[in-house]
Amino acid sequence: MAETIPWLTLLVFTPILGVCVLLLVPRRQTRLLRLTAVVSALLPFMLSLWLFGQYDAATADQFREQTAWMDVALNREALNGSVTSFIYQFQYDLAIDGLSLPLVMLAAFIGCMAALASVNIRKRRKSYYVWFLLLETGMLGVFLARDLLLFFLFFELTLVAMFFLIAIWGYFDREKAANTFLIYNGLGSAVMLFAFILLIYTAGFQAVESADRVELVYSGNYDIIAANLLNPEAYVNLAPNLMGGDNPFYLSGEMKWVVFILLLVAFGIKLPVMPLHTWMLHVHKEAPVPVVMIHSGVLLKMGAYGVLRFGMLLFPAEAREAAAVIAWLGLANIMCGALLALRQQDLKLVLAYSSLSHMGIVLLGLASFNEIGVQGAVFQLVSHGLISALLFLIAGSIQERTGTTELARLGGLSRSMPFISGVLLAAGLASLGMPGLSGFVGELLSFLGLFESMKAVTVLAAAGMVITAAYVLRSVLGITFGPLRENGEELKDARLIEAVPMIALLAFIILLGLYPSVLNGTTADSVQEILSQLRAGG
Amino acid sequence: MDTVYSHYAWLIPIFPLGAFLILAAAGRGMRTAGIVTAMAASLASFLLSMLVLVERLDGRAAEYNASYDWIATRGFQLTIGFDVTNLTAVMLAMVSLISFLVCMYSAGYMKNDERITVFYAYISLFTFSMLGLVLADNLLMLYMFWELVGVCSFLLIGFWYAKPAAKAAAKKAFLVTRVGDVGLLIAVLMLFWYMPEHELSFSAIQNVFNEGQSGLIAQGITTVIALLIFAGAAGKSGQFPLHVWLPDAMEGPTPISALIHAATMVAAGVFLIARTYSIFEASAAAMETVAIIGAFTALFAASIALVQKDLKRILAYSAISQLGFMMLALGAGSLTGGIFHLLTHAFFQALLFLGAGSVIHAVHTRNIHEMGGLGRRMRVTAFTFAIGALALAGIPPLSGFWSKDAILAAVLDKGHPLLFAAGLAASLLTAMYMSRLFILVFGGKSGAQPGSRKSLESPLIMTVPLIILAVPAALLGLVELPWEGWGRLGSWLLGSGYSPQHDSGAEVMIMSTAVAALGLYIGWLVYGKGMISRSAAAARLPWLVNLLDNKYYIDELYHYCIVRPVLGLGTLLVLIDRYVVGGAVRLAGGLAMLAGRAGTRMQNGQVQTYGLLAVAGLVVLIVAVAGRRFW
């Protein structure tokens, strides 16, 4: 029975089901609205846990759901008569592997926590939850889609949902932040779409010949494109002079570089890579708390996922040559992010730059091209997702109480809010890479991996850890230690509904820190697979 | 010989961990029960450690190791595990005993603190981490516990978080040690890639670096690894130039200073080097560096201690100085001397700190010039403190004398007359500042304290730990008496790999005793009898006193040479980020808007404009086509 149920579709579209239910709930029924939203966010998490239990690390793609969704007929007249069909096939293709699984679980978990944290949303709750759940569907879909255009659709869904969530429910400067976000990411999407079309037009082309039929198919299917790119006999790799002077599907070495760089730029904006990060600051500062949790916890990871899945795996040879560049970009992220965070006056901006810095570690891991490093990168993605979601959640709680996140106006909160301060301290320690908490494992494995090939970069990045400690302690101690500010005595500590997501996030951070094999075990074989592909191409 | 209790050594850190979890979960609800839980846990650890130690005392017990996968995939594995050797056994006993005594002492010292449960939770977490550090069987696991003890130290220094000084000190302690920790982390990375099979366990390191197999790793690499490990050790053990955090760490509660910043955590650096000693032995340059830095630190810190006014800071500098002695021993090739001094120092320094805590508890000040005459009013404290002070000064037959003598003899034996002289000078200064401290605090009349007949002695729960600590502080040195043949401790610690060395006989002993006595005498002349004016030095050499008073301006140097430039770089990046990167983004956006506006303006419905544009376009086209020919 388990085989016949489309688990992944269920997982992705449960939030949409929730939207349908929400539409039927009257606007004034606040509790019911909230309950529906939380349940619709909780179900995908339960499903992802179930998938985690069922997942067999040794098999590559699992729970695959693949159907031809639309066949777009193309102009057959232009070709000679022997061609029986000439189509573009748009596939609905979902699958899960060791790379997707942790990220899907992360997305579902953070989504669930963010739904819990949405209690502070006070206006237009119904439409808020509708956009929120659409966002969740989008981000779950991104990590599961195995068709380029399907991926693109999910990717865009997150953009639209984010735009409205920021623009309507954000803080003071929300509209500007939403516009910046949309324009910048829209540009990124345009670049991505351009690269995808180039890929579909060349590597996505297949000619299926049998006795009486010749079928020519363009497809955006990821596996087909990957297989074609790696196969020296495929059209995409046959130079025109071998084909009698004309091969419209040929992707020359230079063009491969073009597509690779386009993909890097498109996903680099999302990641974000220095200096394409400015849009992110506005979002982190202005968006409502649950949305920032999702944004920093999950959406940034789509960038890294894209770099790995579409950039490096499709173009392993190019990626290998660009490894040093990727590593140096990662180092720039780490150092600049940390130094900039050291000088910020607002907690949210400190956290925004800290995200920039920590995503640099992911780039280091990816640039290592060995098992440890790639494991580290994946681990760091999950770990940073949890940690940054927790940090932004706390920042939101502090802002709700004190009305500010400016460091100069905060201090001594340990006295009146010991629980929140304690969690903030723990999250800060996780962020600066304390052993026993998840941040350390990601850092350690990434450094360990990169050290094999690029010692200087690793050493510099490790030295950056001191600056990381400096800015984390500066902001965390600034807020929690020292004498209490005036009116501070009346501040209330966390309510139960706030404490639940904090404890849950912290629990996962500790679990991953103490027992990383939970995650490494599932990703190990996929990482091996990825590496063998990278090596095969390189 | 078979071992029984060693197999259960993993339980030793588990007790305090359990106490931490209970205390953390129970929150502030429990006070007495919390104290009892923490004490019971550390007592259990101590008893089990003693069983392990006793079992190994005859020196024939086999080392016990158990290790498990932490992260394992097909390509690589990182393990965690524990190692019971004679060295770890004796460290376990020392750490858990002092931890237990400090827990007991704190019940009196911290009685009125409303967050006492949190305090005990942190202490339990620290004890767990420190015991884990000692037991770790590989460098990576040691590094993890190494960071954890650092965090506990940070939390406890900042325990009174509302005090700005405590906040600054906690931050400083964390950041300065972090600098060293980065070195250690890089050493781990290097070892991972240079060791065969990516082995990080201490036994594998020992096998690879010991003589005979040293060809596996190039000499230069070995030196770099050793120096990076030493950087980590220097950060934790307060060695120059990373010593600056330790005096500031005195902002924490005094029992913490005794446990963490005198006896256990700061000695972890020495322990780390002892654990990886074969790497150091494989590199003469690294040994040289360790010895020089150690000797320099010993002298340098002792000189600062001479003029400080804060009771705890003087002891902090003395701890730095003694740690310098241990490093000197290690650098001179005497692992035994280093570990011997580590052990004796742990007891007498913890004793001194707890005694200081007792004094501070009574008089509510840390300035030694505001004390005096406390000897009669705090008899137990004064007596035990005297034992600690004499042991520190190196007066026979107290423990400090024997271990310091072992170090000095080893240095002389190795042919480092200069370092030997530095060690002797540091001994002289040590005796001087300890006699100054003791006389100012306990001696003389209690002028500063009105109502002076009343006893100020601390409660029993605080004095009993002092008395217990005084026993090993006085007698521990007797485990290795020179005339019973050097090397009992050494051969027990190191097993068959130990080669008995120095036999300098009585000269060193006489010299060091003479120097210590001279130091005490000078101190007595100045502060006790008043033969030499206290301000004589200040009058003759004002610059020197000033220099010492300001701790050689090291803090200021770091502030201007490191902190400021880093912050400046940050500011520069902020400006670049705002104006260059942000400006480029705004420019791109603005250009797009401009183009849009220009386009809008052209759609004004006037045929003349359209005609003009069409002509202009035609001209451009013609020029382009025609121009191609000549190009």
Side-chain angles (χ1 to χ4, degrees):
Chain A
M1 169 166 146
E3 286 74 38
T4 56
I5 295 176
W7 290 108
L8 296 186
T9 305
L10 266 181
L11 175 71
V12 173
F13 290 101
T14 316
I16 297 273
L17 267 179
V19 171
C20 298
V21 177
L22 271 182
L23 293 175
L24 302 176
V25 177
R27 185 140 40 106
R28 307 219 173 274
Q29 298 273 0
T30 317
R31 278 167 174 265
L32 196 56
L33 282 175
R34 193 186 296 157
L35 185 71
T36 319
V38 170
V39 169
S40 331
L42 188 64
L43 282 176
F45 179 53
M46 301 305 238
L47 271 172
S48 73
L49 281 181
W50 187 84
L51 284 177
F52 178 72
Q54 296 293 309
Y55 183 80
D56 167 24
T59 333
D61 287 336
Q62 293 171 41
F63 300 98
R64 181 144 222 160
E65 293 163 29
Q66 189 173 21
T67 42
W69 190 359
M70 278 183 275
D71 284 343
V72 182
L74 299 175
N75 187 4
R76 192 143 52 94
E77 309 298 315
L79 305 164
N80 64 37
S82 60
V83 177
T84 40
S85 76
F86 181 40
I87 54 171
Y88 169 73
Q89 191 173 63
F90 180 27
Q91 290 187 344
Y92 177 79
D93 187 0
L94 302 178
I96 203 161
D97 64 1
L99 181 58
S100 300
L101 183 62
L103 293 169
V104 166
M105 292 186 67
L106 174 75
F109 178 61
I110 302 281
C112 192
M113 294 301 117
L116 281 177
S118 297
V119 283
N120 289 333
I121 301 295
R122 305 239 181 271
K123 66 173 183 184
R124 298 173 67 183
R125 291 195 179 84
K126 187 162 163 177
S127 34
Y128 171 82
Y129 283 123
V130 168
W131 283 120
F132 181 88
L133 291 174
L134 284 175
L135 175 63
E136 174 146 9
T137 289
M139 69 195 190
L140 289 171
V142 160
F143 295 125
L144 293 174
R146 289 304 172 79
D147 183 280
L148 263 51
L149 281 191
L150 189 64
F151 176 88
F152 185 74
L153 284 184
F154 282 125
F155 199 89
E156 292 303 289
L157 184 59
T158 64
L159 287 196
V160 177
M162 276 296 287
F163 173 74
F164 286 107
L165 285 168
I166 299 169
I168 301 177
W169 290 274
Y171 291 102
F172 183 70
D173 215 2
R174 53 184 179 262
E175 286 172 12
K176 189 174 168 228
N179 276 329
T180 321
F181 170 78
L182 192 67
I183 292 174
Y184 223 124
N185 282 273
L187 277 177
S189 297
V191 173
M192 176 166 73
L193 187 62
F194 185 48
F196 278 4
I197 289 175
L198 281 176
L199 275 176
I200 293 172
Y201 184 73
T202 54
F205 178 78
Q206 275 182 305
V208 185
E209 294 175 46
S210 55
D212 54 340
R213 303 169 62 83
V214 177
E215 293 177 5
L216 303 183
V217 184
Y218 286 111
S219 153
N221 186 287
Y222 178 81
D223 291 349
I224 294 175
I225 289 178
N228 276 343
L229 279 170
L230 288 181
N231 176 8
E233 300 293 311
Y235 286 114
V236 64
N237 287 327
L238 290 178
N241 53 7
L242 299 175
M243 299 262 302
D246 187 29
N247 177 8
F249 313 109
Y250 177 61
L251 210 50
S252 66
E254 290 77 14
M255 272 311 280
K256 280 188 176 166
W257 271 107
V258 168
V259 179
F260 177 66
I261 290 170
L262 286 176
L263 287 169
L264 274 195
V265 170
F267 293 113
I269 288 178
K270 198 83 207 171
L271 189 69
V273 176
M274 285 289 278
L276 304 173
H277 63 279
T278 43
W279 63 274
M280 178 188 83
L281 308 174
H282 298 283
V283 174
H284 280 167
K285 192 150 180 258
E286 303 298 339
V289 176
V291 176
V292 187
M293 282 170 71
I294 288 192
H295 182 259
S296 153
V298 183
L299 299 189
L300 299 185
K301 278 67 199 173
M302 298 188 332
Y305 176 79
V307 168
L308 182 55
R309 174 85 72 194
F310 296 101
M312 295 173 65
L313 282 182
L314 291 181
F315 298 98
E318 285 73 15
R320 260 197 114 74
E321 278 183 51
V325 178
I326 296 175
W328 281 100
L329 279 175
L331 182 66
N333 259 30
I334 292 175
M335 294 309 252
C336 295
L339 282 168
L340 283 163
L342 196 58
R343 297 308 272 166
Q344 298 305 310
Q345 304 304 326
D346 188 307
L347 175 63
K348 286 186 172 177
L349 287 179
V350 172
L351 298 181
Y353 280 112
S354 140
S355 283
L356 187 67
S357 178
H358 282 99
M359 294 306 280
I361 296 177
V362 175
L363 289 179
L364 292 191
L366 291 181
S368 72
F369 280 83
N370 58 28
E371 192 189 354
I372 310 177
V374 177
Q375 283 265 15
V378 176
F379 203 99
Q380 175 73 3
L381 285 180
V382 176
S383 151
H384 176 256
L386 296 170
I387 296 170
S388 68
L390 179 57
L391 282 167
F392 277 108
L393 177 63
I394 298 166
S397 293
I398 291 175
Q399 182 161 23
E400 189 209 343
R401 285 166 175 74
T402 61
T404 183
T405 50
E406 274 175 55
L407 293 176
R409 293 174 56 196
L410 292 167
L413 293 185
S414 278
R415 174 162 278 302
S416 49
M417 301 158 46
F419 177 79
I420 292 183
S421 302
V423 178
L424 176 60
L425 192 59
L429 290 176
S431 176
L432 60 78
M434 187 49 52
L437 302 168
S438 63
F440 170 71
V441 184
E443 260 179 38
L444 173 76
L445 294 181
S446 302
F447 289 165
L448 214 46
L450 191 68
F451 193 78
E452 185 186 22
S453 48
M454 280 170 261
K455 301 195 168 43
V457 179
T458 318
V459 168
L460 289 173
M465 284 166 55
V466 179
I467 307 175
T468 306
Y471 76 74
V472 169
L473 291 186
R474 166 179 173 264
S475 45
V476 170
L477 295 192
I479 290 170
T480 57
F481 279 35
L484 192 58
R485 299 282 157 151
E486 50 197 291
N487 305 331
E489 294 286 351
E490 293 130 41
L491 298 173
K492 293 267 179 298
D493 212 345
R495 298 181 298 273
L496 184 65
I497 185 100
E498 280 177 297
V500 167
M502 285 181 194
I503 292 175
L505 284 164
L506 193 57
F508 271 91
I509 292 171
I510 295 175
L511 173 71
L512 287 183
L514 292 180
Y515 188 53
S517 296
V518 179
L519 185 57
N520 287 109
T522 42
T523 54
D525 291 278
S526 292
V527 168
Q528 284 273 347
E529 185 77 9
I530 287 169
L531 282 166
S532 63
Q533 283 183 38
L534 288 178
R535 297 218 176 91
Chain B
M1 197 183 107
D2 259 359
T3 53
V4 182
Y5 299 110
S6 298
H7 296 226
Y8 296 98
W10 58 274
L11 273 173
I12 296 174
I14 296 298
F15 293 121
L17 178 66
F20 165 72
L21 293 177
I22 292 170
L23 288 166
R28 300 186 193 184
M30 48 206 279
R31 283 181 70 89
T32 318
I35 299 173
V36 172
T37 313
M39 273 175 67
S42 51
L43 183 63
S45 295
F46 172 61
L47 293 178
L48 188 51
S49 314
M50 279 315 283
L51 290 176
V52 172
L53 180 63
V54 168
E55 177 177 76
R56 313 191 69 83
L57 269 186
D58 67 357
R60 279 177 298 153
E63 302 193 346
Y64 180 74
N65 170 274
S67 96
Y68 312 91
D69 283 344
W70 185 52
I71 300 177
T73 64
R74 264 179 280 169
F76 69 100
Q77 66 205 39
L78 302 173
T79 59
I80 52 173
F82 68 97
D83 230 359
V84 187
T85 65
N86 292 346
L87 173 61
T88 57
V90 68
M91 284 292 286
L92 287 175
M94 183 274 280
V95 170
S96 54
L97 173 61
I98 293 184
S99 170
F100 168 67
L101 293 176
V102 164
C103 276
M104 185 169 163
Y105 179 93
S106 304
Y109 190 86
M110 302 292 288
K111 195 172 63 187
N112 297 322
D113 197 293
E114 57 168 347
R115 288 165 70 236
I116 191 167
T117 332
V118 181
F119 179 81
Y120 274 96
Y122 287 167
I123 286 205
S124 299
L125 183 62
F126 171 78
T127 308
F128 157 71
S129 319
M130 189 67 211
L131 292 170
L133 189 157
V134 171
L135 274 175
D137 79 333
N138 68 67
L139 196 58
L140 180 65
M141 184 178 165
L142 185 140
Y143 175 80
M144 295 197 273
F145 282 107
W146 180 268
E147 292 287 293
L148 275 181
V149 289
V151 160
C152 296
S153 153
F154 155 81
L155 288 171
L156 284 162
I157 294 170
F159 182 72
W160 288 315
Y161 58 81
K163 282 199 318 191
K167 173 178 150 186
K171 194 162 132 187
K172 187 172 174 185
F174 197 100
L175 291 181
V176 175
T177 48
R178 186 83 168 176
V179 173
D181 294 353
V182 167
L184 179 55
L185 180 67
I186 296 172
V188 173
L189 300 182
M190 289 183 76
L191 278 173
F192 182 82
W193 286 108
Y194 286 108
M195 287 284 287
E197 310 273 317
H198 302 315
E199 270 277 6
L200 286 173
S201 74
F202 292 118
S203 50
I205 290 175
Q206 202 175 344
N207 287 338
V208 168
F209 283 93
N210 270 355
E211 281 163 287
Q213 300 186 40
S214 53
L216 277 173
I217 296 175
Q219 186 62 43
I221 301 289
T222 308
T223 305
V224 171
I225 293 176
L227 289 178
L228 285 168
I229 292 177
F230 179 60
K236 272 274 185 293
S237 294
Q239 295 301 292
F240 180 85
L242 297 176
H243 65 282
V244 288
W245 66 273
L246 190 51
D248 286 16
M250 296 300 122
E251 293 301 332
T254 308
I256 291 316
S257 313
L259 175 63
I260 300 183
H261 305 124
T264 57
M265 186 190 85
V266 289
V270 178
F271 177 74
L272 169 68
I273 296 184
R275 279 299 247 163
T276 54
Y277 206 53
S278 40
I279 305 181
F280 286 82
E281 283 177 320
S283 162
M287 289 291 262
E288 193 86 9
T289 314
V290 173
I292 291 172
I293 298 257
F296 179 75
T297 307
L299 190 57
F300 164 88
S303 72
I304 298 178
L306 217 47
V307 300
Q308 294 296 307
K309 297 179 189 68
D310 183 318
L311 173 57
K312 283 181 72 183
R313 274 176 187 262
I314 297 173
L315 293 180
Y317 280 109
S318 92
I320 296 175
S321 168
Q322 297 306 308
L323 289 161
F325 270 106
M326 295 174 213
M327 292 294 179
L328 172 61
L330 294 176
S334 171
L335 180 61
T336 325
I339 295 296
F340 190 24
H341 200 53
L342 189 165
L343 293 171
T344 58
H345 168 262
F347 291 108
F348 65 69
Q349 197 79 17
L351 171 63
L352 287 173
F353 267 103
L354 291 184
S358 175
V359 168
I360 294 166
H361 189 67
V363 300
H364 302 291
T365 175
R366 283 165 33 185
N367 188 337
I368 51 172
H369 292 295
E370 294 171 12
M371 301 171 188
L374 292 173
R376 298 183 184 176
R377 301 170 66 192
M378 307 181 76
R379 285 185 188 279
V380 181
T381 306
F383 183 67
T384 51
F385 197 93
I387 292 179
L390 292 175
L392 173 62
I395 299 296
L398 301 173
S399 64
F401 167 75
W402 304 108
S403 53
K404 202 181 280 182
D405 178 62
I407 293 174
L408 291 175
V411 174
L412 194 62
D413 191 53
K414 267 275 142 67
H416 295 299
L418 209 60
L419 295 180
F420 176 74
L424 269 191
S427 291
L428 177 72
L429 295 181
T430 307
M432 278 166 70
Y433 69 68
M434 276 326 280
S435 68
R436 164 178 180 259
L437 175 69
F438 191 85
I439 293 168
L440 284 180
V441 173
F442 295 103
K445 289 189 190 123
S446 48
Q449 292 288 321
S452 54
R453 297 301 308 169
K454 214 174 71 198
S455 168
L456 283 170
E457 189 57 89
S458 300
L460 219 54
I461 196 144
M462 288 167 69
T463 47
V464 169
L466 294 180
I467 298 167
I468 298 177
L469 278 174
V471 176
L475 303 179
L476 192 66
L478 305 181
V479 299
E480 171 135 310
L481 294 178
W483 49 82
E484 283 188 10
W486 282 100
R488 246 190 355 171
L489 186 65
S491 58
W492 180 74
L493 278 176
L494 302 177
S496 53
Y498 177 76
S499 52
Q501 2 174 318
H502 46 73
D503 191 13
S504 330
E507 307 95 325
V508 177
M509 231 179 273
I510 293 169
M511 261 194 277
S512 81
T513 313
V515 158
L518 178 67
L520 290 180
Y521 183 62
I522 295 176
W524 181 74
L525 281 184
V526 177
Y527 295 96
K529 199 152 183 252
M531 288 266 291
I532 306 171
S533 160
R534 290 180 193 189
S535 49
R540 306 255 164 78
L541 297 165
W543 59 271
L544 182 64
V545 175
N546 211 7
L547 189 66
L548 294 179
D549 215 22
N550 286 296
K551 302 158 267 177
Y552 295 96
Y553 294 99
I554 303 275
D555 280 326
E556 286 75 8
L557 187 73
Y558 287 169
H559 183 74
Y560 288 107
C561 294
I562 295 173
V563 178
R564 283 289 185 81
V566 167
L567 290 180
L569 195 60
T571 312
L572 183 70
L573 276 173
V574 169
L575 294 178
I576 291 177
D577 196 45
R578 192 172 298 158
Y579 295 108
V580 178
V581 178
V585 172
R586 277 193 294 277
L587 188 68
L591 281 180
M593 294 286 279
L594 214 64
R597 246 179 241 147
T600 321
R601 194 157 298 166
M602 284 172 199
Q603 314 293 321
N604 57 4
Q606 288 187 345
V607 184
Q608 296 95 313
T609 320
Y610 295 160
L612 186 64
L613 275 176
V615 170
L618 188 66
V619 169
V620 170
L621 213 64
I622 290 171
V623 168
V625 171
R628 263 179 66 175
R629 281 208 196 151
F630 307 105
W631 197 2

